[in-house]
Amino acid sequence: MKDYKMKTEHQFTVTIQPGGRQINAKAGTSLRLVLLGAGVELDGICGGKGICKKCKVKILLGKQALAASPTEGLSKKEAKAGWRLACLVPVLENLVVEVPLKAKEDDRKAQLVSVMRKAKPTSSILKQCITIKKPDLDDQRADLDRLAAAVNLKTLSFAYQVLQKLPLLIREANYQLTITRDGDRLLDVEAKDTSKGLYGIAFDLGTTTVVGSLIDMYSGAVLATGAEANLQRSYGADVISRITYLIEHDDGIITLQQKVIATMNKIIRVLIDKAGILAQSIFAVSVVGNTCMQHLLLGVDPRHLAFAPYVPAFQGAQQIAAGVLGLDVNRECVVYIAPNVAGYVGADTVGVILATEVDKSDEIQLVVDIGTNGEIVLGNKDRLYSCSTAAGPAFEGAQIKHGMRATQGAIEGVTINDDVLLKVIGNTDPKGICGSGLVDLVAQLKIVGIIDSSGRILPPEKLKGLPKKLVERIIKGEGGYDFLLYAAETGQSIVLTQKDIRELQLAKGAIFAGINILLKHAGLDLGKVKLLLLAGAFGNYIKIDSAKAIGLLPPGIKTRQIGNAAGYGAGLLLISDEEKEKAEAIAKRVEYIELSGMVDFQEEFIKALNFA
Ligand code: FES
């Protein structure tokens, strides 16, 4: 049959390679928005402003698009081959574009370090196999009433799906059922005895990366872990740019909520495949994350977090059915959103405190969780202080010229002697540098004297005493000198630029200043701190000596890397109602120190920018 559907003259077709999928696009729309709208995963952290240079696509067909879009930030070779920044390409004709395949998120993000404590499972969510009395002419009670009688609870309430399933299921199963309940509420019924299979997922909702762990609700054992890039990243690298996006777009909050749910669903699929279980047997989900991420997951507008006095819409724990959110688990699965401390110290920090029990320590401890934001906790069983500093995404490899996430091909470690030795994830050719590699590299350059204390890469003529091979790596770049890290035979190179070092200085300065402000508020000096716990995936992989050498962490304190403590805390919250009570108490107890607008912080920040 002939297709009479006409494209309006203002619509064009964009064909996406590889795969050949075709989508319609309104004339003049940015190619990036068209691709994102079609669910294509694109890098990009500047919200489509042409700044981050990450949203590269190759225009295979589209003369006008090639001519109309700028090539700044691309190498000559890339520009000639048709690469463009998708956010700067207007759709003015039918296009064929090639989108680079995404690297798989590194599982290192998912790793939970088991130096933390265990908790006894005490969840109100449980399964129970029951036998129901069969009806007869002398006992014509409704199916639901006889089910309630078998459970022996007068106040039982039922999820809608129980009512729907019951009449057929009860007979198919010959009156033997397994019920799943949360206290007095019946969530689901299954035929026969499935009481052994009860699972939950603990999520750590990071601004950049989302991590999930599938957990056996009875034993607390972690069955599988997985991590995915947060699909919201295409809408901004940090919480402020995501809030800006939702303010500027009518459906922004819906888009951002859908993206985080889609990320979680991706992880759920990976986890259930790994463990070989059914999504329907997942009845509990716990979520920790920063306050903004918690809002976005629930579709609650977080815009007031961006403006003084930075008030969140909610602070305490929330509970909601998974079906309402659209999570691909049992629709009655109970989703527990952990409590936040304040607008900029969220449930992820509560999770860290819960996991490390710094709130019970006799000695003063410092906990630093480094991500896009750096959350810092200082204290012991008597008092706890916390603050959050905007470290920015440099530690995640973003806003760095050749920065990348810690995936295959990322330089994660650097040693400099007579020349440069690189440690690359996956032992392949390097593609870029991740946060731990960046810290290592800058520390090494500082130690050998290529970078001075202000962070400047010195010109070759000032480095006479250094090995020739090292000096030859210092090349002229935009706004100063670059350090050549790797040059492939293809002509592609990986460099550290002066601007990259400045980004790192801002990030490490923010963290260090935050630590100093908390110490000031507590009336303590560093000598009183007995243990420094470094949380987060990034914190788990940096070399402590390098972090101290660049002034990211204070020297002279015993330091332990504890991995994804926030995710571990989410696991505790998943399986234990007692832990939920503790989390509520912690969230209320922590004294939050607001850094923005604080003159002290500005002074500490400026002091902390330089390398010692
Ligand atoms: S340059 Fe396009 S999203 Fe940043």
Side-chain angles (χ1 to χ4, degrees):
M1 196 167 74
K2 195 169 172 199
D3 182 5
Y4 286 103
K5 226 168 48 194
M6 296 263 296
K7 284 189 193 118
T8 73
E9 52 182 15
H10 299 300
Q11 288 232 334
F12 295 111
T13 303
V14 176
T15 307
I16 306 167
Q17 301 293 9
R21 185 152 74 103
Q22 294 196 324
I23 44 177
N24 288 337
K26 258 202 219 148
T29 319
S30 108
L31 179 58
R32 175 178 172 272
L33 287 183
V34 171
L35 293 172
L36 288 177
V40 174
E41 284 180 48
L42 265 189
D43 269 334
I45 52 160
C46 68
K49 297 189 169 60
I51 300 167
C52 69
K53 320 284 184 212
K54 300 272 182 195
C55 62
K56 287 179 200 170
V57 295
K58 192 173 182 182
I59 312 285
L60 301 175
L61 220 67
K63 274 189 190 149
Q64 288 191 67
L66 282 170
S69 41
T71 55
E72 279 152 39
L74 301 166
S75 69
K76 273 195 189 135
K77 212 166 154 192
E78 283 176 322
K80 199 165 167 225
W83 289 95
R84 294 291 185 273
L85 299 175
C87 65
L88 302 182
V89 176
V91 179
L92 300 171
E93 67 209 301
N94 291 338
L95 293 176
V96 181
V97 299
E98 182 187 318
V99 179
L101 291 174
K102 298 287 291 179
K104 212 181 136 4
E105 194 69 14
D106 182 19
D107 264 358
R108 59 162 45 183
K109 290 276 187 191
Q111 286 173 18
L112 302 176
V113 176
S114 54
V115 294
M116 287 163 278
R117 69 198 178 84
K118 300 255 182 285
K120 209 165 113 231
T122 58
S123 172
S124 58
I125 300 167
L126 46 92
K127 275 190 166 186
Q128 193 181 345
C129 181
I130 55 165
T131 304
I132 293 166
K133 190 171 175 295
K134 287 185 188 176
D136 55 35
L137 289 176
D138 293 327
D139 179 4
Q140 293 180 316
R141 283 174 304 160
D143 293 339
L144 204 54
D145 294 335
R146 60 186 63 249
L147 172 64
V151 181
N152 201 15
L153 266 178
K154 284 203 180 74
T155 55
L156 206 61
S157 69
F158 303 89
Y160 177 50
Q161 64 177 358
V162 173
L163 198 55
Q164 281 184 309
K165 283 185 183 177
L166 199 58
L168 298 188
L169 194 76
I170 201 171
R171 286 164 183 86
E172 268 167 35
N174 199 22
Y175 295 87
Q176 191 194 31
L177 296 179
T178 298
I179 58 163
T180 306
R181 55 194 269 192
D182 177 15
D184 293 349
R185 180 169 166 76
L186 213 54
L187 303 176
D188 203 2
V189 281
E190 291 165 278
K192 302 295 179 192
D193 186 359
T194 63
S195 58
K196 296 239 166 2
L198 181 63
Y199 305 100
I201 299 182
F203 280 105
D204 172 18
L205 226 58
T207 313
T208 309
T209 306
V210 179
V211 180
S213 301
L214 178 69
I215 293 176
D216 182 314
M217 293 291 288
Y218 292 127
S219 67
V222 177
L223 306 177
T225 55
E228 290 289 339
N230 188 338
L231 292 171
Q232 290 179 341
R233 282 205 296 206
S234 304
Y235 299 84
D238 50 37
V239 295
I240 295 299
S241 38
R242 288 189 204 161
I243 291 175
T244 307
Y245 174 82
L246 72 87
I247 290 173
E248 287 172 356
H249 296 81
D250 287 346
D251 58 353
I253 181 85
I254 297 169
T255 305
L256 292 176
Q257 186 189 25
Q258 283 172 348
K259 291 295 169 190
V260 74
I261 302 262
T263 314
M264 292 166 83
N265 281 338
K266 260 175 127 180
I267 294 173
I268 291 168
R269 275 193 294 281
V270 171
L271 296 183
I272 61 174
D273 281 356
K274 273 190 191 171
I277 64 151
L278 294 174
Q280 287 308 306
S281 57
I282 296 167
F283 282 95
V285 161
S286 63
V287 183
V288 302
N290 64 52
T291 311
C292 183
M293 291 306 302
Q294 304 279 73
H295 279 59
L296 292 176
L297 170 63
L298 291 177
V300 176
D301 198 315
R303 72 182 65 197
H304 303 295
L305 293 175
F307 309 101
Y310 316 110
V311 175
F314 64 91
Q315 181 263 331
Q318 305 296 320
Q319 204 158 288
I320 190 167
V324 176
L325 290 178
L327 287 176
D328 293 339
V329 290
N330 193 295
R331 63 194 266 197
E332 290 297 332
C333 163
V334 180
V335 181
Y336 172 80
I337 315 285
N340 302 301
V341 174
Y344 283 95
V345 171
D348 43 2
T349 303
V350 173
V352 170
I353 297 171
L354 204 59
T356 56
E357 291 194 304
V358 54
D359 60 318
K360 292 190 179 158
S361 156
D362 289 326
E363 294 174 334
I364 303 283
Q365 296 186 357
L366 186 62
V367 189
V368 182
D369 189 351
I370 304 175
T372 312
N373 273 336
E375 282 97 13
I376 305 162
V377 176
L378 172 75
N380 63 3
K381 62 181 170 34
D382 300 322
R383 287 193 92 170
L384 277 179
Y385 302 88
S386 78
C387 69
S388 171
T389 61
F395 294 129
E396 313 268 357
Q399 276 166 19
I400 300 299
K401 181 160 185 177
H402 289 124
M404 65 181 284
R405 300 195 300 277
T407 54
Q408 173 117 333
I411 297 168
E412 60 168 344
V414 180
T415 310
I416 299 182
N417 294 315
D418 287 350
D419 200 2
V420 175
L421 212 70
L422 303 177
K423 188 169 168 226
V424 181
I425 297 175
N427 283 327
T428 62
D429 286 341
K431 289 191 211 140
I433 186 160
C434 66
S436 58
L438 181 68
V439 169
D440 227 16
L441 172 60
V442 173
Q444 297 274 310
L445 292 175
K446 172 75 191 45
I447 289 165
V448 296
I450 291 177
I451 292 177
D452 70 11
S453 59
S454 75
R456 188 169 68 109
I457 298 177
L458 295 174
E461 61 274 16
K462 292 213 167 164
L463 296 166
K464 293 264 160 45
L466 286 186
K468 194 165 165 254
K469 277 191 185 161
L470 278 186
V471 178
E472 281 170 359
R473 288 175 179 269
I474 298 162
I475 51 178
K476 246 309 250 152
E478 286 167 33
Y481 286 92
D482 292 347
F483 185 79
L484 178 68
L485 208 48
Y486 177 76
E489 281 163 12
T490 56
Q492 295 275 35
S493 59
I494 299 171
V495 297
L496 175 82
T497 68
Q498 186 60 65
K499 184 173 165 292
D500 295 342
I501 297 174
R502 299 298 178 216
E503 291 288 343
L504 182 69
Q505 284 177 283
L506 294 176
K508 69 111 186 173
I511 302 272
F512 202 84
I515 293 173
N516 280 339
I517 290 292
L518 284 195
L519 285 166
K520 257 193 198 173
H521 266 262
L524 294 169
D525 59 45
L526 258 182
K528 289 277 184 302
V529 179
K530 293 292 173 244
L531 183 64
L532 191 161
L533 298 172
L534 197 53
F538 166 75
N540 210 31
Y541 286 90
I542 49 169
K543 279 197 208 125
I544 298 292
D545 287 347
S546 297
K548 290 184 176 175
I550 66 161
L552 167 61
L553 296 175
I557 305 175
K558 188 169 138 201
T559 304
R560 239 169 61 191
Q561 289 161 294
I562 57 170
N564 185 0
Y568 198 92
L572 297 174
L573 291 167
L574 183 81
I575 59 165
S576 162
D577 289 352
E578 277 168 30
E579 299 294 330
K580 288 182 182 129
E581 277 172 31
K582 284 187 202 166
E584 297 281 353
I586 288 169
K588 288 194 185 116
R589 204 195 124 185
V590 175
E591 292 175 48
Y592 172 66
I593 311 294
E594 176 61 58
L595 298 181
S596 65
M598 189 189 270
V599 180
D600 273 16
F601 176 73
Q602 289 306 328
E603 286 169 6
E604 289 293 342
F605 176 60
I606 288 164
K607 269 198 266 171
L609 286 176
N610 277 359
F611 299 113

